[in-house]
Amino acid sequence: MRLSASLAAVLLASAFSCLPAFSLTPEIRDIDITLTLQPDGSALIRERWDVCAADGTEWYLVRGNLGDIEIKDLSVSDESGRSYIYEGDWDTERGISEKAGRCGILRKADGAELCWGIGSLGDHVFDAGYTMTRCVKTLDDYDMLHLQTVSPGLSSAPEHVRVTVRAAEHQLDTANTRAWGFGYAGRVDFRDGAVVYESTEPFVRNSSVIVLLRFDKGMFDS
């Protein structure tokens, strides 16, 4: 039996509609974080996430065990240059289109989640900025920064991570700072007046980046 052109087109379209939709693979290709420590011990933080969002409606950063640290001044933009609207308290119970172009903070008993809408599935580069107060802690003989900057259990294991810690009014070097890093396979180096934590191998599921720095007295009034 011969089919008319119009009937053949309908059958062909129906056949393709039965095929499974193309599925994305979640990826975190690169995380680049810079902490700039202020004289009062607070940190101005800038993060760039190069990712493929394969499902869900939002991206979020987990910040736990904050103690007296406060997170404020969240800002987010994406690869298009779009600046997101800051909502304050974040409402998770919305769809992908309702969260698009918006960001906020979900406060929890043990910390906070910094959240924003992904807008669409697929490749994105997100830039997030925020302030964490009271990051540098005062000790009797030294001052200290002890902070988890990349949390474990992400949607996929990052392929590469770099965390740079600077001081706004000091060059960090081996004369005034000691540095240790935990939770990942990689290096800790002093470079150009900063301390750089950088992975040399892709993360595994429970990898993280924990920064531990000891500063000489007089560098911060925290």
Side-chain angles (χ1 to χ4, degrees), residues 5 12-13 23 31 41-42 83 99-100 119 140 157 213:
L12 184 63
S23 60
I31 303 173
S42 62
S83 295
K99 295 179 181 178
D140 291 338
L213 295 172

Side-chain angles (χ1 to χ4, degrees), residues 66-138:
L66 294 179
D68 63 350
I69 293 174
E70 179 187 358
I71 298 178
K72 61 182 184 179
D73 303 329
L74 175 64
S75 64
V76 177
S77 61
D78 61 26
E79 69 282 354
S80 71
R82 178 184 188 182
S83 295
Y84 289 20
I85 298 170
Y86 177 66
E87 296 186 329
D89 293 336
W90 184 251
D91 177 11
T92 62
E93 301 299 322
R94 292 177 291 177
I96 190 169
S97 61
E98 295 172 299
K99 295 179 181 178
R102 298 176 178 275
C103 63
I105 301 177
L106 181 62
R107 312 284 179 178
K108 295 194 168 184
D110 60 344
E113 293 177 358
L114 284 63
C115 310
W116 60 87
I118 59 174
S120 63
L121 300 182
D123 293 334
H124 291 286
V125 177
F126 296 117
D127 287 290
Y130 54 98
T131 299
M132 295 182 73
T133 66
R134 306 182 188 91
C135 283
V136 177
K137 303 301 184 185
T138 298

